[in-house]
Amino acid sequence: MRKLTSVILAACLLPVAAAAQEAATSASGGTVRVLDKLNGSVTDLELTNGQSATVGRLVVTLGECRFPTDNPMGDAFQMITLQFEGNLEPVFMGWMIASSPAVSAFDNARYDVWPLSCITS
């Protein structure tokens, strides 16, 4: 009986969960902001997918940028890889969300990095 209740509950909640997921569209690139906390400089990097740029010793690579299909000016979701010059091993690799950068943050004493937007045109 307990298993049947779980199956019925799952069947009822599945359409709700599917509706909560927003369709996303891949963009050709995006804008990433880098703050150098040591000297207070802010650098905005406009990168295409797969492109890298260097700020100080930090190499920023944008893997992909996605945005809500129904709201192109809405939230940006970016796959970002960060590494220091001369090191092959990334110090950060993951998805960051523009509206909630702290959800998946790069924790570093010198640099803060967060996504701003996707290139939608």
Side-chain angles (χ1 to χ4, degrees), residues 2-21:
R2 186 175 200 169
K3 186 174 182 179
L4 180 60
T5 304
S6 296
V7 170
I8 292 171
L9 183 60
C12 291
L13 292 179
L14 188 59
V16 174
Q21 291 180 347

Side-chain angles (χ1 to χ4, degrees), residues 78-80 82 92-107 113-115:
Q78 295 181 354
M79 170 56 89
I80 297 175
L82 304 171
F92 177 88
M93 184 184 336
W95 287 95
M96 287 188 177
I97 306 168
S99 65
S100 304
V103 169
S104 177
F106 170 56
D107 186 26
V113 178
W114 64 95

Side-chain angles (χ1 to χ4, degrees), residues 8-78:
I8 292 171
L9 183 60
C12 291
L13 292 179
L14 188 59
V16 174
Q21 291 180 347
E22 215 172 328
T25 300
S26 289
S28 59
T31 304
V32 180
R33 179 165 285 170
V34 179
L35 167 66
D36 184 333
K37 295 184 259 184
L38 190 63
N39 62 25
S41 66
V42 175
T43 305
D44 289 348
L45 305 171
E46 191 167 296
L47 303 170
T48 59
N49 293 339
Q51 185 180 12
S52 297
T54 303
V55 176
R57 291 193 54 241
L58 185 67
V59 179
V60 180
T61 304
L62 177 64
E64 185 177 1
C65 192
R66 297 180 185 172
F67 60 90
T69 302
D70 294 341
N71 184 9
M73 299 310 292
D75 221 354
F77 305 91
Q78 295 181 354

